[in-house]
Each structure stands twice: as C-alpha cells, then as structure tokens.
Amino acid sequence: MCTRKKVHAFVRVKPTDVFAHEMIRYGDDNKTIDIHLKKDIRRGVVNNQQTDWSFKLDGVLHDASQDLVYETVAKDVVSQALDGYNGTIMCYGQTGAGKTYTMTGATENYKHRGILPRALQQVFRMIEERPTHAITVRVSYLEIYNENLFDLLSTLPYVGPSVTPMTIVENPQGVFIKGLSVHLTSQEEDAFSLLFEGETNRIIASHTMNKNSSRSHCIFTIYLEAHSRTLSEEKYITSKINLVDLAGSERLGKSGSEGRVLKEATYINKSLSFLEQAIIALGDQKRDHIPFRQCKLTHSLKDSLGGNCNMVLVTNIYGEAAQLEETLSSLRFASRMKLVTTEPAINEKYDAERMVKNLEKELALLKQELAIHDSLTNRTFVTYDPMDEIQIAEINSQVRRYLEGTLDEIDIINLRQIKEVFNQFRVVLSQQEQEVESTLRRKYTLIDKNDFAAISAVQKAGLVDVDGHLVGEPEGQSFGLGVAPFSTKSGKKAKSKKTSKEPLSSSAKKEGASSPVSAKDLDMVSTSKTQLVPSSKDGDVKDMLLRDRETSSIEPPPSDSPKEELRPIRPDTPPSKPVAFEEFKNERGSEINRIFKENKSILNERRKRASETTQRINAIKQEIDVTKEALNFQKSLREKQGEYENKGLMIIDEEEFLLILKLKDLKKQYRSEYQDLRDLRAEIQYCQHLVDQCRHRLLMEFDIWYNESFVIPEDIQMALKPGGSIRPGMVPMNRIVSLGEDDQDKFSQLQQRVLPEGPDSISFYNAKVKTEQKHNYLKTMMGLQQAHRK
C-alpha cells in the first residue's frame, strides 16, 4: 500500500561575515525562519507595504557542516532506496548560494564532499551489510543546457559519440532519457571516477555573483536492483535516486551577464519559472493538468515531482541584506514545495526465469497432493504424467470404435485424457480426409480451386472450360489431356517423375549458386579471426560473416619480442607518409594489411558471382521474351487455321502446350536466380562493411605508428617508457606495467596511514587521482599535436 506524504523542504544558509541579524531570525524549534523588512519611507505616510514573513519548514541548516547536512537531508532517502523506494534530492536557490557545494562539495577535500559522493559511499556500505542480496549499481549523469540534453559521461572511451540526439520518452514504467548512457559500477572507486569524469565536463562561467557558476541543470541518477540470494521468490526490487543540482536563479542586473552568459541566464530563469509553475499546480488539489512538458527540466523530472518517490528539497539562501529579495523568492518556492504530496511505493518486478522454476516446483507438489487424494479414494490407476505412445494409441482405438458404433461410451479418467480424446477425434478426421483425397487423386487429375494463378494459366491455354472440366483425349490424335483410366499409368508415371525432380533441381541450383571453394582459393584465404572464410553453403558463409563481425574489433595480441625495444635511429626529417605507409604495411601493419587484402579478395569474388548471376537472369529474361513471342505466334496461327473443339472444349496442339510448360519453367528459374542475387547483394553489403572497417583500422594503426616513430620528441619518448608519468595511449600495450603485489600492499598500507579519514577516503582519492591523470594526459597530447601543427 502506498501512502501519501509531504515533500520535505530544508533551508541551508550560506555563511557570511555580514549576516543580517535584524532582518533574518530563526525560531526556537530550528524549523522556522522569519524575514523582516524596513518600510520604504519614500512611499509616504500611508504605506501598506508588507514587512514581515514567516516560513515553516522541516529544518533550518545554519552554519551546518557537510556531515550534518547529509545526516539531516539524504541519509534516510538513500537508506530507503535499497528497500525499493525511489528518491529525489534537489538543490534550489540563487546563484552563488551554495547549491553545487551542497550537492557535490569540494572534490579536492574528502571532508568537504557533498551529498552526492556521500550517497554513493552509503550505497556501497549498505551493500556490504546485505550479503543475502545480490545488488547491482548503475549510474548516469545528465546535463540540461539551453534546453538541450547532454550526456556528461559520453567522453568515456567505451561510450563513443551518439549519432541521434537524446530525447525524453515516457512509458508505463516511468520517464527515461533515450540515448543516455548508463554505467555499471561494481565498486565504490569506479562510481567516484564516473562522478569526477562528469564534473569535469560540466559547463561553468564566471560573473559578479559567482566565479564558477553552473550554467546548466545536472541530474546524477543511481539505479539499484536487488535480488535475494537465499529466497527463491521471483520478485526483485528496483529503485533509483535522482540527485538534482539546479542552475542558480539570478537577476541580470546583479550578475552583469552579457553575451553567451546572458543567453544561458535567460534559459535558466525560464526553466526555473516553468518548474515553479509545475510545483504550484501540484500543490493545488483542484488542478487536473500539470504542465510538465513546458521545458526539458520538468519533463525529465515528471515521475520525481509528486510521483512515486521520497522527495527532499534543499533551498540555499544568502544571509546578507543585499540579497534579501532573492532569499524571499527562494523561501516562497520552498513553502510551495511543502504543499506537494508524493506516493512512495516499493518497486517490485518479477524474474521470468525464476518464476518458471517456482511454477515447476509448485506443479510437482500439486501432483503429489493429487496422488495422495487418489489413493484415499481408491483411484490408484490414475496418473497425471504426460501420456506415452501406448496410452495415446489406446485412446485412438477407442475413438475409432466409438465412431464405428462398436463402443457405446468412452470412460472419463482425468482432464488430460479428455483433451487427448478430442485430439484423437481431430487426428481421425484428418486421416479420413486424406484417404478421400488420395482416392480421388488416383482416379482424377486435381487442381486446387484456390490456386488462381494455375486456373488462369490453364484457362488461357484452353485446357479447361468454364465449369472446370478437362479436355478429353480425341481419337486419331497423338497427344491430348483428359481423364485417363486407372490402368493407363504411363502419363501418371511421367508426371510423378517430373514433380519429384523439381525440388531436386531447385536444391541443385542453390548448391550451384554457392559452389565449394577450390583448394587454391582455400590456400589463398587464411583462417584469421578477423577475415572472411568462404564455405560450401550460403548458411555457413553467413555464420562465418557473423562470427567475423563479432571478432573484427579484437586487437591482435601484443608482441613481447625484443625487437620492440630495439628502436632504429630516428632520421632527422620524417619521411613522407606514402613512403612510410609502404614500410608500415611490410613491417608492423603486415597482419592487418594481409587481412584487408583477403577480405577485399572475398568481396571481389562475391561481386563476380553477383555479376554472373545477373547475366544468367538477363539470359533467362531474353529466353522468356522469345518463348512468349513463339507462344503468341502459335496462338495466332491456331486462330488463322481454325480452332478444333470437342464437345465445346478448345483443343491445342502439342507444340503450343510444350511452350506453355517451358514458359512456366523459365519463370520458376527466373524467380530462383533473382532470390540468389538478392542474397548475394546482402553478402556484398556486409563484406563491404568489413573491408571499410579493415581499411579504417589500417589507417588508424599507421597514424599511431607514424606519431610514435617520427613525430613525438625524444624527451617525451623517455616519459612513455615503463615508469614514466604519461599513461600509454598511442604506444604498444606491452609498455604498460603495474605494481607488484608487495608494492601494492605497501602502497595500500601507506594510504591508510597518511590519507585523512582513511581507509574510508581511499576510494575517493584514488578516483580523483586517476581522473586528474587522465585529463593531464589529454592536455599533454593536445599540446603536442598543436606544436606539431605549428
């Protein structure tokens, strides 16, 4: 049962040396904040200006530490998320009031970390305390900048650029962002690395109110999924925690925004205005429509604002008299948010595989209970297992005797036997229909009335009249069609022989379309993982193509030979790229060049086969046209010479009939060859994709080799050696070294002693160091490229 509850709203006041004690006062319960303004004497004696306001909230955080803020605001929300409840924590307020500090904190100092890293740490700590559940954690980082959606984790190497822009999609399960990358994190350090990676990609700018002002709304989402390890229930719980850092509302006159920053401020104020409108509508019980789709911010938070979640708002305000108007506006928003109600409920889903296993167990128990019940009622001969062939044959015999009248009734035993009786009725009826049809086929030549193509062809040929009767064999003629007696078997044998050969010929054509490769071709094509291997069947070729596609991106294993360490003397001036490319193809890139050539030869072979098939199709088309002309000539000649009729039926000669059969066979060949051509074109398209992929790989490897060999200076080459400060990105993988086990143990012990608040802070600082190393490396590489261009 989901219960309705109010949104929790807290206020955090930014510390300042010029706090307005006369204008801002706190209640004794630490939940009330009073604002007092002096009257403007310029309005005259009659002045109805409001000067006092009082706001009742869930808590006022004044001079509060980051630990106290997290304990008060977020700890319960994160704790309930592991029980299946969704949660949302949002920071709102004026620019520079401390929203980002509250949400993310100072990433350089472990003690000053904000709600987001503390929530990640609490999630993994609680997972360690629940060994009876298998809990998976995934994270995503979304940025909304100028009403556009951006993935802050798209710069990771395994994500890659997105072709289509991200969109907001709604379904019965909720709202999700199509195109947003979601990353699996198995440990705390990985989650911190993703957080720091996203923080470095955020858009910030400087103005008079804040030196590092966030110019976008950011939503960090933690997805949780928990399966029980001990219970065999098919139910499992899912939940998500949305941590929202809104961009600050600002007055353009105070911030002094110009140019691009002015445009950003316009979008920010507009989206925050729409957010306030949605909050006002949610707080009004009489409103049916909530304007969520006015902007991307409210649309993406549709299931978090007044939805199925525990929601907490942290309003950040200034304590200075100069910012009192913005403070009042922020407190009004917080009071409106307290009017919004949510309906938190546990998100339960069902595992289909585990559900099947549980149903199988339940079925076995029910069978045992039925067996006990039958034994108590002396029905020991009843079985509930699937029937075997002997029991089915016995039921079939009973059904036949019942239909013949020798059996008065069939004894009913159980439900399975009733279903089998009806099934055998259907089987007997089908067998009788087949016997009747086979009897008719022995006496007559039958044409299916639903086969309109065959009927129209026979009618055009004059082989059948309007009533569907065939033309009989006339006396004195050497050839004719009609109803032959059962003893005349020559025509029947010929027909059966003809029909039996047709599927054989079609299969032979299929085999011919993809003939086995000769021994010479097999010697030419190697069996490398990233190349195509021709086979004797089209199906085998497609399977190999599929396997090649899966392994085409696998890099060849690095070489540990001493030749890699012995570098030749670098020339004073780098050679031209065409000359260096030929050298690269003969040495380091020989393997990928060989694969490229072999794939290209296979592509050319497929194109050659497609060309031959096209020529055969054109030849068959020409022969069809010639046959049609000959058939039309025979028809016109028959009309000129006079048509023969027997009992009102038109008779054609043997030559015209053979032309009809030939035309039908040619059309069948045309369809078969055309289908083969379509298959070949599909193979050619896929082979072309592999060739392009190999060409791209060859050029990319050449650029890396050329930069390492001729472009990067010697002093940088020394830094790229084992133990250097630059992580290898364009160097062979065998240059990457790691600490030994003893060194790693010493380093871990040193971290626990030296780092503040260790060992809890080890994951935080490790992720921070890795992120900084990565970005320093990228800056160094960009500097080298710019120096090379100059």
Side-chain angles (χ1 to χ4, degrees):
M1 292 291 293
C2 55
T3 57
R4 300 182 65 89
K5 59 186 297 186
K6 296 287 185 179
V7 172
H8 292 284
F10 297 88
V11 174
R12 188 179 190 184
V13 185
K14 184 177 181 179
T16 178
D17 295 335
V18 289
F19 186 81
H21 295 282
E22 298 179 356
M23 299 181 180
I24 302 175
R25 295 178 182 178
Y26 306 128
D28 297 335
D29 56 355
N30 204 26
K31 294 183 179 181
T32 306
I33 181 168
D34 298 328
I35 306 296
H36 173 73
L37 284 178
K38 295 181 180 180
K39 287 191 176 184
D40 190 358
I41 60 177
R42 292 175 298 177
R43 295 191 177 186
V45 179
V46 180
N47 189 351
N48 296 325
Q49 178 186 1
Q50 184 176 355
T51 58
D52 295 291
W53 292 266
S54 180
F55 299 94
K56 179 73 172 180
L57 303 171
D58 292 288
V60 177
L61 303 171
H62 181 64
D63 291 336
S65 63
Q66 294 283 66
D67 292 333
L68 179 60
V69 171
Y70 184 78
E71 291 287 334
T72 307
V73 172
K75 186 175 181 179
D76 292 339
V77 176
V78 177
S79 177
Q80 292 183 22
L82 271 79
D83 296 329
Y85 293 94
N86 293 336
T88 299
I89 302 173
M90 180 186 300
C91 285
Y92 177 89
Q94 184 187 358
T95 298
K99 298 181 300 302
T100 303
Y101 180 77
T102 301
M103 181 57 66
T104 308
T107 56
E108 295 81 9
N109 193 326
Y110 178 76
K111 183 179 181 181
H112 295 161
R113 69 195 190 282
I115 293 175
L116 211 162
R118 292 174 186 270
L120 289 173
Q121 191 174 48
Q122 181 183 350
V123 165
F124 284 97
R125 292 290 185 272
M126 294 183 68
I127 290 175
E128 294 177 357
E129 297 172 358
R130 300 190 182 191
T132 58
H133 287 77
I135 303 176
T136 58
V137 183
R138 294 177 174 85
V139 299
S140 66
Y141 211 166
L142 173 68
E143 181 182 48
I144 304 176
Y145 174 70
N146 290 352
E147 282 301 295
N148 292 317
L149 303 176
F150 297 95
D151 186 2
L152 290 178
L153 301 179
S154 61
T155 56
L156 295 174
Y158 55 87
V159 176
S162 178
V163 179
T164 58
M166 292 190 295
T167 56
I168 302 174
V169 181
E170 296 185 36
N171 58 14
Q173 285 73 33
V175 178
F176 70 97
I177 311 300
K178 184 178 181 181
L180 180 64
S181 61
V182 180
H183 305 264
L184 177 66
T185 57
S186 57
Q187 54 186 356
E188 185 178 336
E189 184 176 332
D190 295 340
F192 285 141
S193 298
L194 293 172
L195 170 62
F196 296 145
E197 177 71 21
E199 286 297 315
T200 56
N201 296 326
R202 290 188 63 173
I203 299 175
I204 61 175
S206 176
H207 53 66
T208 57
M209 299 294 296
N210 189 2
K211 184 175 65 174
N212 296 316
S213 174
S214 299
R215 313 310 296 165
S216 60
H217 311 294
C218 293
I219 304 174
F220 190 93
T221 306
I222 306 173
Y223 305 90
L224 303 174
E225 184 175 312
H227 295 260
S228 175
R229 285 194 175 103
T230 57
L231 302 177
S232 60
E233 294 182 356
E234 61 271 8
K235 290 190 298 184
Y236 66 96
I237 60 175
T238 61
S239 61
K240 65 178 180 179
I241 308 172
N242 289 323
L243 301 166
V244 186
D245 182 13
L246 299 175
S249 60
E250 58 188 26
R251 293 197 176 186
L252 303 181
K254 288 187 176 182
S255 62
S257 302
E258 296 179 353
R260 180 180 63 86
V261 180
L262 176 61
K263 179 183 177 182
E264 294 168 352
T266 304
Y267 276 106
I268 292 171
N269 291 339
K270 184 178 179 181
S271 61
L272 291 177
S273 175
F274 288 142
L275 174 63
E276 188 169 1
Q277 291 179 19
I279 296 302
I280 293 174
L282 286 169
D284 189 356
Q285 302 294 333
K286 299 179 181 179
R287 291 284 294 271
D288 295 331
H289 173 69
I290 311 299
F292 284 117
R293 299 198 178 192
Q294 287 183 319
C295 65
K296 298 290 180 63
L297 175 64
T298 55
H299 196 187
S300 60
L301 295 176
K302 179 179 178 180
D303 56 352
S304 300
L305 300 173
N308 174 24
C309 70
N310 293 312
M311 186 170 182
V312 177
L313 174 71
V314 180
T315 304
N316 297 85
I317 62 173
Y318 279 97
E320 302 172 0
Q323 311 295 336
L324 205 57
E325 293 183 5
E326 286 77 8
T327 298
L328 275 173
S329 177
S330 300
L331 291 174
R332 290 192 189 99
F333 181 85
S335 62
R336 294 190 185 104
M337 181 64 80
K338 278 191 60 64
L339 299 177
V340 179
T341 58
T342 61
E343 297 181 3
I346 298 178
N347 300 291
E348 293 182 342
K349 295 185 178 180
Y350 291 88
D351 188 351
E353 183 178 357
R354 185 170 290 185
M355 186 184 299
V356 170
K357 292 182 179 180
N358 292 342
L359 290 176
E360 290 176 349
K361 291 181 181 179
E362 185 178 358
L363 181 61
L365 292 175
L366 291 175
K367 285 184 178 181
Q368 294 177 2
E369 291 184 4
L370 282 174
I372 295 174
H373 177 73
D374 292 335
S375 63
L376 294 176
T377 56
N378 296 326
R379 300 176 70 229
T380 56
F381 60 90
V382 179
T383 178
Y384 297 97
D385 295 328
M387 294 187 175
D388 54 15
E389 296 181 356
I390 299 177
Q391 293 173 332
I392 294 175
E394 176 63 26
I395 293 177
N396 184 277
S397 175
Q398 294 178 1
V399 169
R400 290 185 180 275
R401 284 184 289 152
Y402 180 79
L403 293 174
E404 293 172 357
T406 58
L407 183 65
D408 294 336
E409 60 183 12
I410 300 175
D411 294 333
I412 300 301
I413 300 177
N414 54 25
L415 182 61
R416 193 186 297 273
Q417 186 247 3
I418 295 175
K419 292 183 178 180
E420 189 60 37
V421 167
F422 281 101
N423 184 37
Q424 291 304 316
F425 270 111
R426 184 169 57 244
V427 170
V428 171
L429 179 60
S430 177
Q431 291 177 354
Q432 290 179 354
E433 291 178 351
Q434 292 177 2
E435 291 175 359
V436 172
E437 184 177 355
S438 61
T439 302
L440 294 175
R441 287 187 180 277
R442 285 197 299 267
K443 294 183 179 181
Y444 307 100
T445 301
L446 304 179
I447 297 178
D448 188 2
K449 291 184 177 181
N450 295 325
D451 191 356
F452 300 105
I455 293 176
S456 61
V458 175
Q459 288 180 349
K460 289 181 180 179
L463 305 179
V464 68
D465 60 0
V466 180
D467 297 331
H469 300 292
L470 296 174
V471 178
E473 181 180 359
E475 296 180 358
Q477 298 290 338
S478 61
F479 182 81
L481 292 176
V483 180
F486 181 71
S487 60
T488 308
K489 296 182 180 180
S490 59
K492 184 176 180 66
K493 287 183 179 180
K495 185 173 181 179
S496 62
K497 185 176 181 182
K498 177 73 176 179
T499 55
S500 64
K501 284 184 178 180
E502 285 179 359
L504 181 60
S505 63
S506 62
S507 62
K509 289 176 185 177
K510 289 287 183 181
E511 292 291 332
S514 57
S515 59
V517 181
S518 62
K520 183 179 179 181
D521 296 333
L522 289 175
D523 293 338
M524 180 182 66
V525 182
S526 176
T527 58
S528 175
K529 287 184 178 181
T530 58
Q531 67 187 12
L532 300 174
V533 181
S535 179
S536 60
K537 293 184 180 180
D538 290 342
D540 297 337
V541 171
K542 293 178 181 178
D543 293 340
M544 292 302 297
L545 288 173
L546 184 59
R547 289 195 293 271
D548 293 336
R549 184 178 186 182
E550 294 175 353
T551 59
S552 61
S553 61
I554 299 177
E555 296 184 359
S559 173
D560 296 332
S561 61
K563 294 181 181 179
E564 190 68 34
E565 299 178 359
L566 299 177
R567 288 182 172 271
I569 299 175
R570 175 180 294 186
D572 295 335
T573 59
S576 62
K577 284 200 172 184
V579 176
F581 187 61
E582 295 298 328
E583 180 183 355
F584 171 75
K585 289 194 293 184
N586 294 329
E587 294 180 0
R588 180 169 166 180
S590 59
E591 179 66 18
I592 186 65
N593 186 45
R594 181 185 62 81
I595 295 172
F596 171 72
K597 289 182 177 180
E598 292 174 357
N599 287 346
K600 194 171 183 180
S601 65
I602 294 175
L603 175 62
N604 293 333
E605 188 269 338
R606 293 292 189 275
R607 286 177 174 172
K608 183 179 179 182
R609 284 174 52 184
S611 177
E612 294 174 354
T613 305
T614 304
Q615 293 177 2
R616 288 197 302 269
I617 290 175
N618 293 334
I620 294 173
K621 183 65 171 62
Q622 293 177 0
E623 192 173 356
I624 288 175
D625 295 338
V626 173
T627 305
K628 285 183 177 180
E629 292 178 0
L631 185 60
N632 293 332
F633 176 76
Q634 289 293 330
K635 288 183 178 180
S636 62
L637 185 62
R638 171 164 48 84
E639 293 175 356
K640 292 179 181 179
Q641 293 178 354
E643 298 177 349
Y644 294 93
E645 295 184 0
N646 182 17
K647 298 181 181 180
L649 300 179
M650 188 176 300
I651 300 174
I652 62 174
D653 58 359
E654 182 177 0
E655 185 176 358
E656 187 176 351
F657 181 74
L658 291 176
L659 288 174
I660 294 173
L661 295 180
K662 181 181 179 181
L663 182 62
K664 183 178 180 181
D665 186 57
L666 287 173
K667 289 182 178 180
K668 184 176 180 180
Q669 292 180 18
Y670 182 85
R671 288 191 293 267
S672 176
E673 293 290 347
Y674 187 75
Q675 183 63 35
D676 293 341
L677 180 61
R678 291 181 61 184
D679 296 340
L680 281 173
R681 285 176 177 173
E683 291 184 22
I684 289 172
Q685 184 179 2
Y686 186 74
C687 292
Q688 183 66 51
H689 171 71
L690 290 182
V691 169
D692 295 339
Q693 191 176 17
C694 288
R695 182 185 292 108
H696 175 72
R697 175 74 178 278
L698 181 64
L699 295 176
M700 183 181 65
E701 293 286 346
F702 168 70
D703 290 337
I704 295 174
W705 173 80
Y706 189 84
N707 291 331
E708 291 179 1
S709 302
F710 306 109
V711 178
I712 300 178
E714 294 291 341
D715 53 348
I716 302 300
Q717 289 282 0
M718 297 298 295
L720 291 173
K721 289 184 177 181
S725 60
I726 300 179
R727 290 184 58 84
M730 297 189 300
V731 296
M733 293 297 294
N734 57 4
R735 297 289 182 87
I736 299 177
V737 296
S738 59
L739 296 174
E741 293 184 1
D742 295 337
D743 295 334
Q744 288 181 348
D745 293 339
K746 294 178 181 179
F747 183 69
S748 300
Q749 295 175 3
L750 181 64
Q751 280 184 322
Q752 295 181 8
R753 293 197 307 269
V754 175
L755 287 179
E757 301 187 28
D760 293 338
S761 62
I762 292 178
S763 299
F764 182 87
Y765 283 112
N766 283 343
K768 184 65 179 177
V769 169
K770 289 181 179 179
T771 305
E772 291 178 352
Q773 288 178 351
K774 174 186 174 183
H775 289 281
N776 290 335
Y777 168 74
L778 293 176
K779 290 180 181 178
T780 304
M781 290 296 104
M782 291 178 64
L784 290 173
Q785 293 177 0
Q786 292 177 358
H788 176 65
R789 292 192 186 100
K790 293 180 180 179

